[in-house]
C-alpha cells in the first residue's frame, strides 16, 4: 500500500510503498478515507515539539474510514462499515492507570513508548491497523463528507476536557485559548452541550468577533491586554455571573501567566481543567497559590485527550444537529501531496479550519 513516512525529524515525508497491515485478535484494518492534518504538524515533524515518536513512522492523528478486515473476536464491525479511528490507544493490562500512546503521533512514559512500538503507524496511508475498540462506528455517511467528519476529531479533544470539568447545562465556562484551533472548537462544543455563557479571552479581535457572529450573545469576548490582574478582572466582568469552570487549551508558546489569569477567574468551589501545552517546551511552569486553591475549594484537574466514551458523545452531538461540522472550512489534499498538506495546515491555522489528506 502507499503511505507517507517520516524517516527523520526535519526531513520531508517520503511517499512510497510500505507493507500492508495484517490484523490479529483484537485488531481491525481500516481503509483510510480522510485524515486531518493538525496545524502544528510541521513542528512535530521538525522535532521542535519534542514528541516521543520512534522513527521511521507513518504519522497522523486520527482518521475516518471504512472497515476492511477484522480480527476473529470482532462481533459488531463488518467490512464496509464507516468508523472514526480514535488515535488514543490504551494498554489493555494497565488497570486503573493504562499506558497511552497516540498512534502515529506521540506517547506518554516508558509504557506508552512500548505500546507505540506495536500500534506504531498512523493514518497518512491507504490503510491502518487499530485496536478493535478504537474503530468507533459512525453510521452511514456520504463519502464526500468524510473530510468534514475529521473536524469531529478537532472538537473531540476539548470535548474530553469539557467532560472532565463536569460542565452542566446553563453553567458559565471560560475557555482559555478560545481563538485557537482547539479553543474555538471548545466554544462551539460547550454551547452544543448547553453552556449558558462562554467567556472567550484572546488577543485576536477578529477571531473573537467571528465567534460572536457565529454563536451570538452566549459568547462573551475579552481582548487580553497582557496584565494578569486586569485581564482576570475583565474576564470576570464579561461573564453573566460567577464563572463555574475554566478549560485551558493554550499552546506551548504562551506564557503561564495567561493560564493563571484565566484559572484564577473561577468562582469559589469552581473547577479548572488543564489540557494545553504551556510549559512543555521550557519557560516558567504554572504557579497557583496554595491558600487560594485550598480556601476557595477549587478543583484543578489535568486531562490528556479524552475518555473512550467521549467519541460516542461527540458523534451523538453531531448527529443531533447540536454541533455543526459545517462551521469548518475544509481543504483537501491527495496522499501524494502530503508535504503540501502539512505546509498548508501551518499556513492556514486558526479557528474552524481543517486540512485533510484523502488517501
Amino acid at each position: 500500500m502507499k503511505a507517507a513516512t517520516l524517516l527523520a525529524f526535519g526531513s520531508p515525508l517520503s511517499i512510497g510503498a510500505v507493507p500492508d497491515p495484517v490484523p490479529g485478535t483484537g485488531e481491525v484494518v481500516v481503509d483510510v478515507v480522510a485524515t486531518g492534518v493538525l496545524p502544528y504538524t510541521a513542528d512535530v515533524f521538525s522535532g521542535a515539539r519534542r514528541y516521543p515518536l520512534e522513527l521511521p513512522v507513518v504519522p497522523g492523528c486520527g482518521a475516518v474510514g471504512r472497515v476492511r478486515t477484522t480480527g476473529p473476536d470482532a462481533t459488531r464491525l463488518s467490512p464496509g462499515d464507516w468508523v472514526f479511528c480514535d488515535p488514543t490507544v490504551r494498554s489493555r493490562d494497565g488497570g486503573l492507570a493504562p499506558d497511552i500512546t497516540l498512534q502515529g503521533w506521540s506517547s506518554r512514559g516508558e509504557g506508552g513508548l512500548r505500546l507505540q512500538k506495536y500500534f506504531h503507524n498512523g493514518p497518512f496511508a491507504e490503510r491502518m491497523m487499530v485496536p478493535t475498540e478504537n474503530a468507533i462506528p459512525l453510521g452511514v455517511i456520504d463519502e464526500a463528507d468524510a473530510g468534514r467528519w475529521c473536524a469531529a476529531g478537532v472538537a473531540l479533544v476539548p470535548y474530553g476536557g469539557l467532560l472532565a470539568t463536569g460542565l452542566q447545562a446553563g453553567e458559565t465556562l471560560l475557555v482559555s485559548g478560545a481563538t485557537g484551533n482547539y479553543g474555538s472548537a471548545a466554544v462551539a462544543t460547550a454551547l452544543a452541550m448547553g453552556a449558558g455563557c462562554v467567556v472567550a479571552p484572546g488577543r485576536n479581535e477578529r477571531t473573537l468577533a467571528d465567534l460572536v457572529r457565529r454563536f451570538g450573545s452566549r459568547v462573551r469576548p475579552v481582548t487580553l491586554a497582557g496584565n494578569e490582574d486586569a485581564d482576570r478582572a475583565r474576564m470576570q466582568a464579561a461573564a453573566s455571573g460567577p464563572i463555574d469552570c475554566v478549560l485551558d487549551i493554550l499552546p506551548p508558546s504562551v506564557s503561564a501567566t495567561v493560564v493563571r489569569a484565566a484559572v484564577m477567574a473561577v468562582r469559589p468551589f469552581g473547577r479548572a481543567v488543564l489540557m494545553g501545552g504551556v510549559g512543555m517546551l521550557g519557560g516558567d511552569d504554572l504557579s497557583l497559590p496554595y491558600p487560594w486553591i485550598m480556601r476557595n475549594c477549587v478543583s484543578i484537574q489535568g486531562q490528556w485527550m479524552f475518555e473512550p466514551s467521549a467519541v460516542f458523545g461527540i458523534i451523538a452531538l453531531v448527529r443531533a444537529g447540536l454541533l455543526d461540522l459545517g462551521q469548518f472550512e475544509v481543504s483537501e489534499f491527495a496522499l501524494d501531496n502530503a508535504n503540501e498538506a502539512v505546509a498548508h495546515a501551518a499556513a492556514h491555522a486558526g479557528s474552524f479550519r481543517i486540512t485533510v489528506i484523502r488517501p
Side-chain angles (χ1 to χ4, degrees):
M1 69 174 185
K2 185 187 292 184
T5 303
L6 182 65
L7 300 174
F9 289 118
S11 68
L13 294 168
S14 173
I15 315 297
V18 300
D20 277 17
V22 179
T25 301
E27 297 162 1
V28 173
V29 171
V30 175
D31 288 321
V32 178
V33 178
T35 177
V37 184
L38 296 174
Y40 59 90
T41 297
D43 288 341
V44 175
F45 291 176
S46 72
R49 282 266 176 152
R50 304 177 192 171
Y51 278 9
L53 187 58
E54 186 175 284
L55 304 182
V57 66
V58 176
C61 191
V64 171
R66 307 190 80 163
V67 173
R68 185 178 184 88
T69 53
T70 66
D73 59 335
T75 62
R76 303 289 180 89
L77 292 174
S78 299
D81 287 351
W82 283 100
V83 291
F84 177 84
C85 299
D86 177 1
T88 313
V89 179
R90 300 165 179 84
S91 61
R92 291 163 174 161
D93 59 352
L96 295 176
D99 291 304
I100 293 177
T101 190
L102 299 185
Q103 188 172 353
W105 201 246
S106 184
S107 62
R108 184 189 69 194
E110 182 181 348
L113 284 170
R114 290 178 60 192
L115 193 59
Q116 184 188 111
K117 291 180 184 296
Y118 186 74
F119 290 106
H120 186 61
N121 288 328
F124 282 20
E126 292 177 317
R127 289 177 284 283
M128 69 180 298
M129 183 183 74
V130 299
T132 304
E133 64 271 23
N134 285 56
I136 312 300
L138 279 174
V140 178
I141 69 171
D142 190 321
E143 185 166 342
D145 292 333
R148 195 167 302 281
W149 271 97
C150 289
V154 178
L156 184 55
V157 175
Y159 181 57
L162 293 169
L163 292 176
T165 68
L167 178 68
Q168 300 295 310
E171 285 193 317
T172 295
L173 168 75
L174 189 155
V175 176
S176 176
T179 57
N181 185 248
Y182 283 127
S184 57
V187 173
T189 306
L191 294 172
M193 294 170 67
C197 169
V198 178
V199 179
R203 298 182 186 277
N204 190 323
E205 294 185 5
R206 182 176 179 179
T207 302
L208 292 174
D210 182 62
L211 287 171
V212 175
R213 179 189 65 81
R214 290 174 186 269
F215 302 112
S217 61
R218 289 165 68 196
V219 176
R220 307 293 173 83
V222 177
T223 303
L224 297 176
N227 180 284
E228 182 179 338
D229 293 335
D231 284 342
R232 182 182 304 116
R234 276 193 288 270
M235 294 181 217
Q236 292 171 323
S240 56
I243 295 171
D244 299 295
C245 46
V246 173
L247 173 69
D248 177 79
I249 198 160
L250 285 165
S253 58
V254 178
S255 167
T257 59
V258 182
V259 182
R260 186 167 56 242
V263 169
M264 293 186 67
V266 78
R267 65 169 171 82
F269 296 89
R271 299 98 66 195
V273 168
L274 309 177
M275 66 180 319
V278 169
M280 289 178 62
L281 300 181
D284 292 337
D285 200 355
L286 179 62
S287 176
L288 293 171
Y290 187 114
W292 174 80
I293 297 171
M294 183 270 292
R295 291 186 180 275
N296 288 289
C297 301
V298 172
S299 298
I300 298 173
Q301 177 179 334
Q303 179 68 37
W304 188 37
M305 299 300 283
F306 41 82
E307 296 301 314
S309 60
V311 185
F312 295 91
I314 206 77
I315 293 170
L317 286 176
V318 174
R319 290 293 189 188
L322 297 170
L323 181 62
D324 180 14
L325 299 183
Q327 297 273 2
F328 286 82
E329 175 188 324
V330 183
S331 300
E332 298 186 343
F333 292 78
L335 182 58
D336 284 335
N337 303 119
N339 286 298
E340 289 88 339
V342 172
H344 182 275
H348 296 83
S351 62
F352 302 106
R353 294 179 175 179
I354 183 169
T355 300
V356 169
I357 292 174
R358 292 190 64 121

